[in-house]
Amino acid sequence: MGCAVSKKDRVRSVLADSSSKKRSVLADSSSKKRSVLADSKSKKRPVLVDSTALASETIFTVNEVEALLDLYKKLSCSISNDGLIEKEELLLALFRNHKKKNLFADRIFSLFDANLNGQIDFEEFVRALSIFHPRTPESEKIANAFKLYDLGRTGYIEREELKEMVTALLEESDLHLSDDVVEAIVDKTFKETDTKGDGRIDQEEWREYAAKNPTLLKNMTLPHLMDVNLAFPSFVLGKGVEDSEFTGY
């Protein structure tokens, strides 16, 4: 009887030891999986570039596209090291402030983030910067400026959208005007632009107005882009917009 109990005890001991080893193996395997996943997440996303294709479709030369790649890599790891430019990283580059809260800053980011996924890949980066190049045709700048003001993406600029953008631009330029003055600017602008009198501004009306008021496009040009190879990485948007640029609306 004692011998039988001893055998049972040994069997239980072997089973317990086997179970313990299995748990240890599973825990070790799980730990390794987590480690691999963590390593995978920490790795930068590779930047795939066809410099020739991008140069043919933008204002930049092949050499300039390659110079922009160096800048892109620096910007994409300035806050989060993931190989993509986040909103905060673009704001840090353009406005020297990654926590900036301003509608104008948000709209600029929307021009770069073409697929609206909250991140900017290299192709989006180059195509957007091409819009701001001094040699980019005025017609292209006008079309993209329209997008900045068309907050609802409806294909029209409503009066309230115009007011929101004018207010944001004044704030960005450190111009503090009374509500009455802002309303007067918006009323004057909207009346002059809405030539069809339907209470909204379409792209044709916008083109006509922008052609007569070139200062409207001042923020659509980054002078440093004239020589990417020498001037970068300094491409902060110019501040200090003159009062006449708004009162001339």
Side-chain angles (χ1 to χ4, degrees), residues 9 17 60 80 82 100 115 118 123 128 132 134 143 145 151 159 163 177-178 181 186 209 219 227 239:
D9 288 342
D17 185 56
F60 300 110
S80 60
D82 59 0
K100 191 174 187 65
N115 61 10
E123 184 175 326
F132 294 89
L151 306 181
R159 185 189 182 283
K163 180 181 177 180
L177 305 180
S178 68
V181 173
V186 173
Y209 181 77
N219 281 320
D227 198 335
K239 285 190 143 189

Side-chain angles (χ1 to χ4, degrees), residues 42-45 47 69-90 92-93 120 125:
S42 67
K43 290 180 181 178
K44 286 186 187 179
R45 172 178 170 173
V47 181
L69 177 58
D70 290 337
L71 174 67
Y72 178 86
K73 289 178 178 178
K74 290 177 182 177
L75 293 183
S76 65
C77 65
S78 59
I79 295 179
S80 60
N81 194 20
D82 59 0
L84 292 166
I85 295 179
E86 312 290 338
K87 182 177 181 179
E88 292 78 10
E89 290 170 325
L90 183 69
L92 180 63
I120 302 170
F125 183 66

Side-chain angles (χ1 to χ4, degrees), residues 15-144:
L15 289 174
D17 185 56
S18 174
S19 177
S20 176
K21 286 181 179 178
K22 284 181 180 179
R23 285 196 299 270
S24 177
V25 169
L26 288 173
D28 185 56
S29 174
S30 177
S31 176
K32 286 180 179 178
K33 285 181 180 179
R34 286 195 297 269
S35 177
V36 169
L37 287 172
D39 287 343
S40 174
K41 288 180 180 179
S42 67
K43 290 180 181 178
K44 286 186 187 179
R45 172 178 170 173
V47 181
L48 304 177
V49 181
D50 186 341
S51 300
T52 303
L54 275 174
S56 69
E57 297 168 5
T58 64
I59 201 74
F60 300 110
T61 65
V62 171
N63 287 339
E64 287 173 333
V65 170
E66 292 171 354
L68 288 174
L69 177 58
D70 290 337
L71 174 67
Y72 178 86
K73 289 178 178 178
K74 290 177 182 177
L75 293 183
S76 65
C77 65
S78 59
I79 295 179
S80 60
N81 194 20
D82 59 0
L84 292 166
I85 295 179
E86 312 290 338
K87 182 177 181 179
E88 292 78 10
E89 290 170 325
L90 183 69
L91 299 187
L92 180 63
L94 291 178
F95 303 101
R96 305 277 176 88
N97 181 358
H98 71 281
K99 295 182 179 180
K100 191 174 187 65
K101 301 292 184 182
N102 180 283
L103 177 61
F104 177 62
D106 290 342
R107 300 307 294 160
I108 289 293
F109 181 78
S110 73
L111 281 187
F112 280 81
D113 182 23
N115 61 10
L116 304 177
N117 69 346
Q119 297 172 315
I120 302 170
D121 61 34
F122 182 63
E123 184 175 326
E124 289 175 320
F125 183 66
V126 174
R127 292 184 186 281
L129 282 181
S130 183
I131 296 168
F132 294 89
H133 197 286
R135 290 202 307 268
T136 296
E138 186 178 85
S139 59
E140 188 174 343
K141 291 181 182 293
I142 290 174
N144 281 282

Side-chain angles (χ1 to χ4, degrees), residues 163-204:
K163 180 181 177 180
E164 286 186 49
M165 277 301 293
V166 167
T167 302
L169 285 166
L170 288 169
E171 179 185 325
E172 174 58 30
S173 305
D174 294 324
L175 291 174
H176 306 287
L177 305 180
S178 68
D179 291 343
D180 289 344
V181 173
V182 173
E183 287 291 344
I185 292 172
V186 173
D187 283 342
K188 183 175 184 294
T189 305
F190 203 81
K191 183 177 180 180
E192 291 180 0
T193 311
D194 180 25
T195 56
K196 297 176 183 176
D198 57 1
R200 58 187 184 178
I201 301 168
D202 61 28
Q203 295 188 43
E204 180 184 1

